Amino acid sequence: MSEAEDRKPRSDEARYDPEITSEFAVPQGLDVPKPGGETETTSEFAVPRGFEVAQAPSPEPEGSAFSTPATYQARTAPPAFTPATGVPLVSLVKDAPWQDRMRTMLRMPVAERPAPELVQRTEDEGPAVPRVLDLTLRIGELLLAGGEGAEDVEAAMFAVCRSYGLDRCEPNVTFTLLSISHQPSLVEDPVTSSRTVRRRGTDYTRLAAVFRLVDDLTDPETHVSLEEAYRRLAEIRRNRHPYPGWALTLASGLLAGAASLLVGGDLIVFVAAALGAMLGDRLAWLCAGRGLPEFYQFTVAAMPPAAVGVAFALAHVDVKASAVVTGGLFALLPGRALVAGVQDGLTGFYITASARLLEVMYFFVGIVTGVLLVLYFGVKVGGKLNPDAGLALSERPLLQIAASMLLSLTFAVLLQQERSTVLWVTLNGGVAWSVYGAMHYAGGISPVASTAAAAGLVGLFGQLLSRYRFASALPYTTAAIGPLLPGSATYFGLLSMAQNEVDKGLVSLANAASLAMAIAIGVNLGSEISRLFLRVGSAGKRRAAKRTRGF
């Protein structure tokens, strides 16, 4: 036998020899089915043999999220659900201002909004949807940049869309972004446009012109084509401010002088505060021309009034140096932004309210920085400024009422208001200070409560005037709250901190913050009272957000 045959084991020996056979080998005599059909190594989740499974239908082709499902048939559709109480009827007073009607519909679900009363068409098929949305965003940009509240901006945008027949629209307003979405029907794709607000400027004349344009668009008797609306909007943007730069500087000085009279100043203090404020205004204009942010503009503008007050203290002149500094601060306090921020928060626009209040905080920090720098160096060189001087204010009712009216008038000029509104806001400012003086000085009521009540009347009268004139309420309220701004509390808090009396300074600054919040809440509450209880073109009930109870 050859060597190869010796190395090859015989089959019988290999089958029964345990040393060379696996213990998992099939025993002799056991029949094993031949492999075929199923694999021997199948998953435990495999379908058993003989069990038939229905094959899944072929997937539908990919389409829009708003396309009609393949299994939907209009004839076999279930009946629409109607509550037992019926569908609520929405009744809108046609004579009501468009602001009230649009606010009412914005708080409704899309399916419950009534159809547009008027569709202004320039052609048989109507204006193009993208152009209407673009016009709406441009109008909203001017309103938001002018300081209008987020709710009023949304109402204006919604009114413009409905005036051209786009009823299924959803506007959205934040501090720097405007967007609007229009969905023609439930089975069509929506069209969305957005616009960013990059520059802001205070011009209430332009704001009033935009309100008149929106009022004409929503008027059923006035047919404004899309081209005409674009032309009027371009004219509004090109219009120059009603007051030149020198008039604004003079108004800033007169405002500071009037504020110094409110806190006990005399003629010398009036002139000194006016000169300091005008110098600060010119320095702020110079910084703006060089492209510096507003934070540094406020810092620079706050220094000259404080420097004039410190100069009086160093010269030992027998005048109230604190009144000079306080008057200069009145022209810088951001009351307009504060009222708008609190109003957005109270109406549910929390993101916009947070951004506005953060802007107010930055402006206030800029003012604090400028004043503290001057006061700190003034105290170091020997200037004697008394933080308790504000506790002995002289009561001069007639002079203070006249000063408050002058302050409101000059504040209206700084806001670039129309000349027809200056008289009304001047009278409103006089009423505000009269109510505050009667409650605080004569009645002995706390300053916070007196300020809130006076600001509430300002908001009430401002809302009434705006309703009768179908205009924005800002020109009638913002300048009127000028006499109520917490200028003296801010100054004495900063002075105490400059003299290392931090606790006393923080208490005074907290008092200033309380007065500012009282002004903002009072103005908003007065506006809401005019809508709720006075029949001045009310448009029915405005739905509000339900209380969340903390969750």
PDB file of all heavy atoms in Angstrom, residues 243-277:
ATOM      1  N   TYR A 243     -39.307 118.629  11.516  1.00  0.00           N
ATOM      2  CA  TYR A 243     -38.538 119.610  12.281  1.00  0.00           C
ATOM      3  C   TYR A 243     -37.057 119.451  11.948  1.00  0.00           C
ATOM      4  O   TYR A 243     -36.542 118.326  11.898  1.00  0.00           O
ATOM      5  CB  TYR A 243     -38.750 119.433  13.790  1.00  0.00           C
ATOM      6  CG  TYR A 243     -40.206 119.451  14.198  1.00  0.00           C
ATOM      7  CD1 TYR A 243     -40.876 118.269  14.508  1.00  0.00           C
ATOM      8  CD2 TYR A 243     -40.910 120.640  14.270  1.00  0.00           C
ATOM      9  CE1 TYR A 243     -42.208 118.282  14.880  1.00  0.00           C
ATOM     10  CE2 TYR A 243     -42.249 120.663  14.644  1.00  0.00           C
ATOM     11  CZ  TYR A 243     -42.894 119.479  14.934  1.00  0.00           C
ATOM     12  OH  TYR A 243     -44.201 119.486  15.291  1.00  0.00           O
ATOM     13  N   PRO A 244     -36.340 120.559  11.732  1.00  0.00           N
ATOM     14  CA  PRO A 244     -34.904 120.466  11.417  1.00  0.00           C
ATOM     15  C   PRO A 244     -34.085 120.100  12.648  1.00  0.00           C
ATOM     16  O   PRO A 244     -34.592 120.026  13.781  1.00  0.00           O
ATOM     17  CB  PRO A 244     -34.576 121.881  10.918  1.00  0.00           C
ATOM     18  CG  PRO A 244     -35.580 122.765  11.583  1.00  0.00           C
ATOM     19  CD  PRO A 244     -36.834 121.948  11.704  1.00  0.00           C
ATOM     20  N   GLY A 245     -32.780 119.893  12.429  1.00  0.00           N
ATOM     21  CA  GLY A 245     -31.895 119.486  13.518  1.00  0.00           C
ATOM     22  C   GLY A 245     -31.748 120.529  14.601  1.00  0.00           C
ATOM     23  O   GLY A 245     -31.717 120.193  15.794  1.00  0.00           O
ATOM     24  N   TRP A 246     -31.666 121.809  14.232  1.00  0.00           N
ATOM     25  CA  TRP A 246     -31.509 122.839  15.260  1.00  0.00           C
ATOM     26  C   TRP A 246     -32.740 122.930  16.147  1.00  0.00           C
ATOM     27  O   TRP A 246     -32.634 123.224  17.343  1.00  0.00           O
ATOM     28  CB  TRP A 246     -31.218 124.196  14.611  1.00  0.00           C
ATOM     29  CG  TRP A 246     -32.334 124.742  13.755  1.00  0.00           C
ATOM     30  CD1 TRP A 246     -32.469 124.608  12.414  1.00  0.00           C
ATOM     31  CD2 TRP A 246     -33.453 125.508  14.207  1.00  0.00           C
ATOM     32  NE1 TRP A 246     -33.618 125.220  11.975  1.00  0.00           N
ATOM     33  CE2 TRP A 246     -34.235 125.800  13.069  1.00  0.00           C
ATOM     34  CE3 TRP A 246     -33.884 125.975  15.445  1.00  0.00           C
ATOM     35  CZ2 TRP A 246     -35.419 126.525  13.129  1.00  0.00           C
ATOM     36  CZ3 TRP A 246     -35.061 126.695  15.521  1.00  0.00           C
ATOM     37  CH2 TRP A 246     -35.815 126.971  14.372  1.00  0.00           C
ATOM     38  N   ALA A 247     -33.937 122.670  15.561  1.00  0.00           N
ATOM     39  CA  ALA A 247     -35.159 122.683  16.378  1.00  0.00           C
ATOM     40  C   ALA A 247     -35.165 121.532  17.380  1.00  0.00           C
ATOM     41  O   ALA A 247     -35.641 121.686  18.515  1.00  0.00           O
ATOM     42  CB  ALA A 247     -36.384 122.609  15.472  1.00  0.00           C
ATOM     43  N   LEU A 248     -34.625 120.378  16.988  1.00  0.00           N
ATOM     44  CA  LEU A 248     -34.554 119.250  17.917  1.00  0.00           C
ATOM     45  C   LEU A 248     -33.578 119.541  19.061  1.00  0.00           C
ATOM     46  O   LEU A 248     -33.847 119.196  20.220  1.00  0.00           O
ATOM     47  CB  LEU A 248     -34.116 117.996  17.166  1.00  0.00           C
ATOM     48  CG  LEU A 248     -35.041 117.513  16.044  1.00  0.00           C
ATOM     49  CD1 LEU A 248     -34.489 116.248  15.409  1.00  0.00           C
ATOM     50  CD2 LEU A 248     -36.448 117.269  16.566  1.00  0.00           C
ATOM     51  N   THR A 249     -32.459 120.179  18.735  1.00  0.00           N
ATOM     52  CA  THR A 249     -31.509 120.527  19.791  1.00  0.00           C
ATOM     53  C   THR A 249     -32.107 121.540  20.763  1.00  0.00           C
ATOM     54  O   THR A 249     -31.959 121.427  21.988  1.00  0.00           O
ATOM     55  CB  THR A 249     -30.226 121.078  19.167  1.00  0.00           C
ATOM     56  OG1 THR A 249     -29.671 120.095  18.290  1.00  0.00           O
ATOM     57  CG2 THR A 249     -29.215 121.425  20.233  1.00  0.00           C
ATOM     58  N   LEU A 250     -32.804 122.547  20.223  1.00  0.00           N
ATOM     59  CA  LEU A 250     -33.460 123.529  21.088  1.00  0.00           C
ATOM     60  C   LEU A 250     -34.544 122.882  21.939  1.00  0.00           C
ATOM     61  O   LEU A 250     -34.696 123.198  23.127  1.00  0.00           O
ATOM     62  CB  LEU A 250     -34.054 124.653  20.232  1.00  0.00           C
ATOM     63  CG  LEU A 250     -34.790 125.771  20.977  1.00  0.00           C
ATOM     64  CD1 LEU A 250     -33.838 126.481  21.933  1.00  0.00           C
ATOM     65  CD2 LEU A 250     -35.416 126.764  19.990  1.00  0.00           C
ATOM     66  N   ALA A 251     -35.314 121.962  21.341  1.00  0.00           N
ATOM     67  CA  ALA A 251     -36.356 121.259  22.103  1.00  0.00           C
ATOM     68  C   ALA A 251     -35.747 120.420  23.213  1.00  0.00           C
ATOM     69  O   ALA A 251     -36.308 120.321  24.316  1.00  0.00           O
ATOM     70  CB  ALA A 251     -37.185 120.384  21.170  1.00  0.00           C
ATOM     71  N   SER A 252     -34.583 119.814  22.957  1.00  0.00           N
ATOM     72  CA  SER A 252     -33.921 119.030  24.001  1.00  0.00           C
ATOM     73  C   SER A 252     -33.519 119.914  25.179  1.00  0.00           C
ATOM     74  O   SER A 252     -33.681 119.527  26.347  1.00  0.00           O
ATOM     75  CB  SER A 252     -32.693 118.333  23.408  1.00  0.00           C
ATOM     76  OG  SER A 252     -32.000 117.605  24.399  1.00  0.00           O
ATOM     77  N   GLY A 253     -33.019 121.123  24.879  1.00  0.00           N
ATOM     78  CA  GLY A 253     -32.658 122.031  25.965  1.00  0.00           C
ATOM     79  C   GLY A 253     -33.858 122.516  26.753  1.00  0.00           C
ATOM     80  O   GLY A 253     -33.828 122.558  27.996  1.00  0.00           O
ATOM     81  N   LEU A 254     -34.937 122.889  26.050  1.00  0.00           N
ATOM     82  CA  LEU A 254     -36.139 123.334  26.752  1.00  0.00           C
ATOM     83  C   LEU A 254     -36.750 122.208  27.580  1.00  0.00           C
ATOM     84  O   LEU A 254     -37.293 122.457  28.662  1.00  0.00           O
ATOM     85  CB  LEU A 254     -37.159 123.861  25.739  1.00  0.00           C
ATOM     86  CG  LEU A 254     -36.766 125.154  25.010  1.00  0.00           C
ATOM     87  CD1 LEU A 254     -37.835 125.521  23.983  1.00  0.00           C
ATOM     88  CD2 LEU A 254     -36.561 126.297  25.998  1.00  0.00           C
ATOM     89  N   LEU A 255     -36.663 120.990  27.082  1.00  0.00           N
ATOM     90  CA  LEU A 255     -37.186 119.850  27.852  1.00  0.00           C
ATOM     91  C   LEU A 255     -36.414 119.699  29.156  1.00  0.00           C
ATOM     92  O   LEU A 255     -37.009 119.498  30.230  1.00  0.00           O
ATOM     93  CB  LEU A 255     -37.089 118.584  27.008  1.00  0.00           C
ATOM     94  CG  LEU A 255     -37.758 117.300  27.532  1.00  0.00           C
ATOM     95  CD1 LEU A 255     -38.155 116.411  26.362  1.00  0.00           C
ATOM     96  CD2 LEU A 255     -36.842 116.527  28.456  1.00  0.00           C
ATOM     97  N   ALA A 256     -35.086 119.780  29.086  1.00  0.00           N
ATOM     98  CA  ALA A 256     -34.285 119.664  30.301  1.00  0.00           C
ATOM     99  C   ALA A 256     -34.568 120.806  31.266  1.00  0.00           C
ATOM    100  O   ALA A 256     -34.661 120.597  32.487  1.00  0.00           O
ATOM    101  CB  ALA A 256     -32.799 119.621  29.943  1.00  0.00           C
ATOM    102  N   GLY A 257     -34.722 122.044  30.731  1.00  0.00           N
ATOM    103  CA  GLY A 257     -35.033 123.165  31.610  1.00  0.00           C
ATOM    104  C   GLY A 257     -36.385 123.014  32.276  1.00  0.00           C
ATOM    105  O   GLY A 257     -36.537 123.295  33.477  1.00  0.00           O
ATOM    106  N   ALA A 258     -37.401 122.555  31.533  1.00  0.00           N
ATOM    107  CA  ALA A 258     -38.719 122.342  32.129  1.00  0.00           C
ATOM    108  C   ALA A 258     -38.674 121.255  33.188  1.00  0.00           C
ATOM    109  O   ALA A 258     -39.325 121.358  34.240  1.00  0.00           O
ATOM    110  CB  ALA A 258     -39.730 121.991  31.040  1.00  0.00           C
ATOM    111  N   ALA A 259     -37.902 120.208  32.946  1.00  0.00           N
ATOM    112  CA  ALA A 259     -37.792 119.139  33.954  1.00  0.00           C
ATOM    113  C   ALA A 259     -37.109 119.636  35.215  1.00  0.00           C
ATOM    114  O   ALA A 259     -37.457 119.222  36.328  1.00  0.00           O
ATOM    115  CB  ALA A 259     -37.026 117.958  33.360  1.00  0.00           C
ATOM    116  N   SER A 260     -36.133 120.535  35.066  1.00  0.00           N
ATOM    117  CA  SER A 260     -35.472 121.082  36.259  1.00  0.00           C
ATOM    118  C   SER A 260     -36.439 121.927  37.083  1.00  0.00           C
ATOM    119  O   SER A 260     -36.329 121.969  38.317  1.00  0.00           O
ATOM    120  CB  SER A 260     -34.260 121.903  35.850  1.00  0.00           C
ATOM    121  OG  SER A 260     -34.654 123.055  35.110  1.00  0.00           O
ATOM    122  N   LEU A 261     -37.395 122.598  36.442  1.00  0.00           N
ATOM    123  CA  LEU A 261     -38.406 123.348  37.198  1.00  0.00           C
ATOM    124  C   LEU A 261     -39.333 122.417  37.970  1.00  0.00           C
ATOM    125  O   LEU A 261     -39.806 122.769  39.058  1.00  0.00           O
ATOM    126  CB  LEU A 261     -39.220 124.231  36.253  1.00  0.00           C
ATOM    127  CG  LEU A 261     -38.471 125.370  35.550  1.00  0.00           C
ATOM    128  CD1 LEU A 261     -39.428 126.133  34.635  1.00  0.00           C
ATOM    129  CD2 LEU A 261     -37.846 126.322  36.569  1.00  0.00           C
ATOM    130  N   LEU A 262     -39.594 121.236  37.420  1.00  0.00           N
ATOM    131  CA  LEU A 262     -40.469 120.289  38.118  1.00  0.00           C
ATOM    132  C   LEU A 262     -39.865 119.811  39.428  1.00  0.00           C
ATOM    133  O   LEU A 262     -40.596 119.465  40.359  1.00  0.00           O
ATOM    134  CB  LEU A 262     -40.759 119.082  37.215  1.00  0.00           C
ATOM    135  CG  LEU A 262     -41.700 119.292  36.027  1.00  0.00           C
ATOM    136  CD1 LEU A 262     -41.844 118.006  35.235  1.00  0.00           C
ATOM    137  CD2 LEU A 262     -43.066 119.768  36.497  1.00  0.00           C
ATOM    138  N   VAL A 263     -38.531 119.763  39.507  1.00  0.00           N
ATOM    139  CA  VAL A 263     -37.882 119.256  40.721  1.00  0.00           C
ATOM    140  C   VAL A 263     -37.331 120.376  41.585  1.00  0.00           C
ATOM    141  O   VAL A 263     -36.437 120.146  42.411  1.00  0.00           O
ATOM    142  CB  VAL A 263     -36.751 118.268  40.344  1.00  0.00           C
ATOM    143  CG1 VAL A 263     -37.328 117.019  39.703  1.00  0.00           C
ATOM    144  CG2 VAL A 263     -35.749 118.923  39.411  1.00  0.00           C
ATOM    145  N   GLY A 264     -37.842 121.608  41.411  1.00  0.00           N
ATOM    146  CA  GLY A 264     -37.501 122.684  42.335  1.00  0.00           C
ATOM    147  C   GLY A 264     -36.461 123.655  41.858  1.00  0.00           C
ATOM    148  O   GLY A 264     -35.933 124.425  42.679  1.00  0.00           O
ATOM    149  N   GLY A 265     -36.118 123.673  40.576  1.00  0.00           N
ATOM    150  CA  GLY A 265     -35.119 124.607  40.079  1.00  0.00           C
ATOM    151  C   GLY A 265     -35.682 125.997  39.845  1.00  0.00           C
ATOM    152  O   GLY A 265     -36.893 126.209  39.849  1.00  0.00           O
ATOM    153  N   ASP A 266     -34.767 126.961  39.624  1.00  0.00           N
ATOM    154  CA  ASP A 266     -35.174 128.336  39.338  1.00  0.00           C
ATOM    155  C   ASP A 266     -34.695 128.699  37.933  1.00  0.00           C
ATOM    156  O   ASP A 266     -34.353 127.821  37.121  1.00  0.00           O
ATOM    157  CB  ASP A 266     -34.623 129.290  40.397  1.00  0.00           C
ATOM    158  CG  ASP A 266     -33.123 129.117  40.596  1.00  0.00           C
ATOM    159  OD1 ASP A 266     -32.482 128.431  39.756  1.00  0.00           O
ATOM    160  OD2 ASP A 266     -32.576 129.652  41.583  1.00  0.00           O
ATOM    161  N   LEU A 267     -34.643 129.997  37.652  1.00  0.00           N
ATOM    162  CA  LEU A 267     -34.281 130.448  36.305  1.00  0.00           C
ATOM    163  C   LEU A 267     -32.843 130.084  35.960  1.00  0.00           C
ATOM    164  O   LEU A 267     -32.557 129.647  34.832  1.00  0.00           O
ATOM    165  CB  LEU A 267     -34.488 131.964  36.193  1.00  0.00           C
ATOM    166  CG  LEU A 267     -34.206 132.570  34.808  1.00  0.00           C
ATOM    167  CD1 LEU A 267     -35.090 131.941  33.748  1.00  0.00           C
ATOM    168  CD2 LEU A 267     -34.387 134.090  34.864  1.00  0.00           C
ATOM    169  N   ILE A 268     -31.915 130.249  36.900  1.00  0.00           N
ATOM    170  CA  ILE A 268     -30.520 129.897  36.624  1.00  0.00           C
ATOM    171  C   ILE A 268     -30.380 128.403  36.360  1.00  0.00           C
ATOM    172  O   ILE A 268     -29.662 127.980  35.444  1.00  0.00           O
ATOM    173  CB  ILE A 268     -29.633 130.330  37.807  1.00  0.00           C
ATOM    174  CG1 ILE A 268     -29.707 131.848  37.997  1.00  0.00           C
ATOM    175  CG2 ILE A 268     -28.199 129.886  37.585  1.00  0.00           C
ATOM    176  CD1 ILE A 268     -28.891 132.342  39.176  1.00  0.00           C
ATOM    177  N   VAL A 269     -31.074 127.604  37.139  1.00  0.00           N
ATOM    178  CA  VAL A 269     -31.046 126.154  36.930  1.00  0.00           C
ATOM    179  C   VAL A 269     -31.650 125.809  35.572  1.00  0.00           C
ATOM    180  O   VAL A 269     -31.152 124.924  34.860  1.00  0.00           O
ATOM    181  CB  VAL A 269     -31.790 125.444  38.075  1.00  0.00           C
ATOM    182  CG1 VAL A 269     -31.946 123.966  37.775  1.00  0.00           C
ATOM    183  CG2 VAL A 269     -31.050 125.640  39.391  1.00  0.00           C
ATOM    184  N   PHE A 270     -32.723 126.515  35.199  1.00  0.00           N
ATOM    185  CA  PHE A 270     -33.368 126.279  33.901  1.00  0.00           C
ATOM    186  C   PHE A 270     -32.368 126.491  32.767  1.00  0.00           C
ATOM    187  O   PHE A 270     -32.227 125.644  31.862  1.00  0.00           O
ATOM    188  CB  PHE A 270     -34.563 127.218  33.754  1.00  0.00           C
ATOM    189  CG  PHE A 270     -35.303 127.071  32.454  1.00  0.00           C
ATOM    190  CD1 PHE A 270     -36.389 126.236  32.352  1.00  0.00           C
ATOM    191  CD2 PHE A 270     -34.906 127.787  31.332  1.00  0.00           C
ATOM    192  CE1 PHE A 270     -37.071 126.101  31.148  1.00  0.00           C
ATOM    193  CE2 PHE A 270     -35.578 127.678  30.131  1.00  0.00           C
ATOM    194  CZ  PHE A 270     -36.664 126.831  30.037  1.00  0.00           C
ATOM    195  N   VAL A 271     -31.645 127.610  32.806  1.00  0.00           N
ATOM    196  CA  VAL A 271     -30.682 127.923  31.735  1.00  0.00           C
ATOM    197  C   VAL A 271     -29.526 126.931  31.744  1.00  0.00           C
ATOM    198  O   VAL A 271     -29.085 126.444  30.690  1.00  0.00           O
ATOM    199  CB  VAL A 271     -30.181 129.366  31.884  1.00  0.00           C
ATOM    200  CG1 VAL A 271     -29.089 129.665  30.865  1.00  0.00           C
ATOM    201  CG2 VAL A 271     -31.337 130.342  31.735  1.00  0.00           C
ATOM    202  N   ALA A 272     -29.024 126.590  32.929  1.00  0.00           N
ATOM    203  CA  ALA A 272     -27.891 125.667  33.016  1.00  0.00           C
ATOM    204  C   ALA A 272     -28.270 124.270  32.516  1.00  0.00           C
ATOM    205  O   ALA A 272     -27.506 123.630  31.768  1.00  0.00           O
ATOM    206  CB  ALA A 272     -27.399 125.597  34.464  1.00  0.00           C
ATOM    207  N   ALA A 273     -29.454 123.785  32.900  1.00  0.00           N
ATOM    208  CA  ALA A 273     -29.894 122.474  32.438  1.00  0.00           C
ATOM    209  C   ALA A 273     -30.108 122.463  30.928  1.00  0.00           C
ATOM    210  O   ALA A 273     -29.777 121.479  30.242  1.00  0.00           O
ATOM    211  CB  ALA A 273     -31.172 122.060  33.159  1.00  0.00           C
ATOM    212  N   ALA A 274     -30.657 123.562  30.393  1.00  0.00           N
ATOM    213  CA  ALA A 274     -30.873 123.644  28.947  1.00  0.00           C
ATOM    214  C   ALA A 274     -29.547 123.620  28.193  1.00  0.00           C
ATOM    215  O   ALA A 274     -29.402 122.915  27.186  1.00  0.00           O
ATOM    216  CB  ALA A 274     -31.665 124.907  28.608  1.00  0.00           C
ATOM    217  N   LEU A 275     -28.568 124.367  28.658  1.00  0.00           N
ATOM    218  CA  LEU A 275     -27.263 124.383  27.985  1.00  0.00           C
ATOM    219  C   LEU A 275     -26.586 123.011  28.046  1.00  0.00           C
ATOM    220  O   LEU A 275     -26.015 122.536  27.043  1.00  0.00           O
ATOM    221  CB  LEU A 275     -26.364 125.445  28.626  1.00  0.00           C
ATOM    222  CG  LEU A 275     -26.775 126.903  28.393  1.00  0.00           C
ATOM    223  CD1 LEU A 275     -25.843 127.844  29.147  1.00  0.00           C
ATOM    224  CD2 LEU A 275     -26.792 127.241  26.908  1.00  0.00           C
ATOM    225  N   GLY A 276     -26.636 122.360  29.197  1.00  0.00           N
ATOM    226  CA  GLY A 276     -26.041 121.033  29.308  1.00  0.00           C
ATOM    227  C   GLY A 276     -26.698 120.012  28.401  1.00  0.00           C
ATOM    228  O   GLY A 276     -26.018 119.200  27.761  1.00  0.00           O
ATOM    229  N   ALA A 277     -28.047 120.056  28.331  1.00  0.00           N
ATOM    230  CA  ALA A 277     -28.754 119.103  27.474  1.00  0.00           C
ATOM    231  C   ALA A 277     -28.476 119.353  26.002  1.00  0.00           C
ATOM    232  O   ALA A 277     -28.323 118.409  25.213  1.00  0.00           O
ATOM    233  CB  ALA A 277     -30.256 119.176  27.751  1.00  0.00           C
TER     234      ALA A 277
END
